[in-house]
């Protein structure tokens, strides 16, 4: 088991303005799963993804990542866990605009202390995997949305993460490019990667290993 979330609550704000975004979530993520997280806007999907990715800690309850309680980690430990164990893919790509595709992919490896040459070679390899070898010198502004998201996928893979988290990775793409991105994620899943993907589009969940529905901060059915 990779992650175990037990009775997880996440409350934003205090007193009368408090929002209970997550209300008693119980979820386990096993190695090699591809989980699709579906639910209406505001149901808590991103909040849950942030906790699974150690970008946030629960208000109540526990999130155990590879045996470690993320609620007990300090900021530095959380940052280290994110860098080494988790790859993020966002709806808005979140590439660094002043860096070209190759440099964007190199960053997590350099932050993790990998040697310059090794990082460059691996970044080139990863860009090949997402069919962008010929765009490595392009800035994000010189790439299409689908290409930007493929750079983001290459970046997410840089440190060989245990877990890939994708928050509506196709949300800013047309259906053709969206399908391409999901196909890439499915290939990664077939290669043994563990993935949790938030999506609004049930059509994109056809080949995933498990679908989890959220409503009002809770999981609708027993979700393992
Ligand atoms: N930083 C925050 N401060 C206060 N409230 C927040 C914060 N982030 C989220 N919320 C609230 O928590 C609830 C869940 O938000 P969340 O972003 O997790 O939903 P979501 O399912 O990802 O929605 P969407 O599909 O629109 O992205 C919402 O009511 C939202 O307004
Ligand atoms: Mg969201």
């Amino acid at each position: 088991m990779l992650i175990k979330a037990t009775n997880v609550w996440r409350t934003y704000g205090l007193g009368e303005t408090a929002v209970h975004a997550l209300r008693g979530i119980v979820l386990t993520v096993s190695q090699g799963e591809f989980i699709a997280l579906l639910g209406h806007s505001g149901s808590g999907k991103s909040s849950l993804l942030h906790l699974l990715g150690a970008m946030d800690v629960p208000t109540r309850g526990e999130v155990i990542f590879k045996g470690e309680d993320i609620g007990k980690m300090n900021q530095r430990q959380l940052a280290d866990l994110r860098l080494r164990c988790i790859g993020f893919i966002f709806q808005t790509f979140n590439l660094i605009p002043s860096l070209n595709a190759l440099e964007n992919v190199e960053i997590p490896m350099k932050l993790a202390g990998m040697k310059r040459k090794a990082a460059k070679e691996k970044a080139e390899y990863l860009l090949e995997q997402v069919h962008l070898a010929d765009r490595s010198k392009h800035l994000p502004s010189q790439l299409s949305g689908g290409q930007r998201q493929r750079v983001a996928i290459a970046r997410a893979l840089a440190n060989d993460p245990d877990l890939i988290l994708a928050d509506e990775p196709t949300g800013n793409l047309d259906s053709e490019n969206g399908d391409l991105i999901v196909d890439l994620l499915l290939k990664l899943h077939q290669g043994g990667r563990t993935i949790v993907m938030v999506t609004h589009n049930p059509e994109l969940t056809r080949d995933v290993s498990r679908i989890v529905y959220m409503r009002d901060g809770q999981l609708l059915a027993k979700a393992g």
Side-chain angles (χ1 to χ4, degrees), residues 65-131:
F65 191 101
K66 287 172 86 180
E68 306 264 1
D69 184 347
I70 69 155
K72 296 210 168 81
M73 293 183 184
N74 61 33
Q75 287 303 324
R76 198 196 149 89
Q77 291 169 318
L78 290 169
D80 198 57
L81 174 73
R82 290 194 298 267
L83 180 64
R84 290 171 198 285
C85 302
I86 295 157
F88 288 98
I89 303 163
F90 301 92
Q91 181 174 359
T92 50
F93 320 131
N94 293 16
L95 301 174
I96 296 178
S98 58
L99 300 182
N100 68 34
L102 189 79
E103 292 162 340
N104 266 285
V105 180
E106 285 173 342
I107 283 194
M109 296 182 271
K110 288 183 171 169
L111 285 174
M114 193 188 281
K115 293 256 164 38
R116 195 177 268 273
K117 185 161 177 280
K120 181 166 186 277
E121 282 171 4
K122 178 129 182 226
E124 283 168 347
Y125 167 77
L126 290 169
L127 284 176
E128 270 171 37
Q129 299 303 296
V130 297
H131 315 297

Side-chain angles (χ1 to χ4, degrees), residues 13-31:
L14 290 171
E16 285 185 4
T17 59
V19 176
H20 301 293
L22 300 176
R23 301 187 293 134
I25 298 284
V26 176
L27 177 70
T28 59
V29 180
S30 301
Q31 208 89 45

Side-chain angles (χ1 to χ4, degrees), residues 95-100 104 138-144 147-148:
L95 301 174
I96 296 178
S98 58
L99 300 182
N100 68 34
N104 266 285
H138 287 233
L139 294 171
S141 60
Q142 298 165 330
L143 297 169
S144 71
Q147 290 170 337
R148 284 181 214 182

Side-chain angles (χ1 to χ4, degrees), residues 39-47 49-50 91 167-168 198 200:
H40 290 131
S41 180
S43 60
K45 304 180 299 295
S46 295
S47 299
L49 213 67
H50 291 157
Q91 181 174 359
D167 198 346
E168 292 186 53
V198 169
H200 271 122

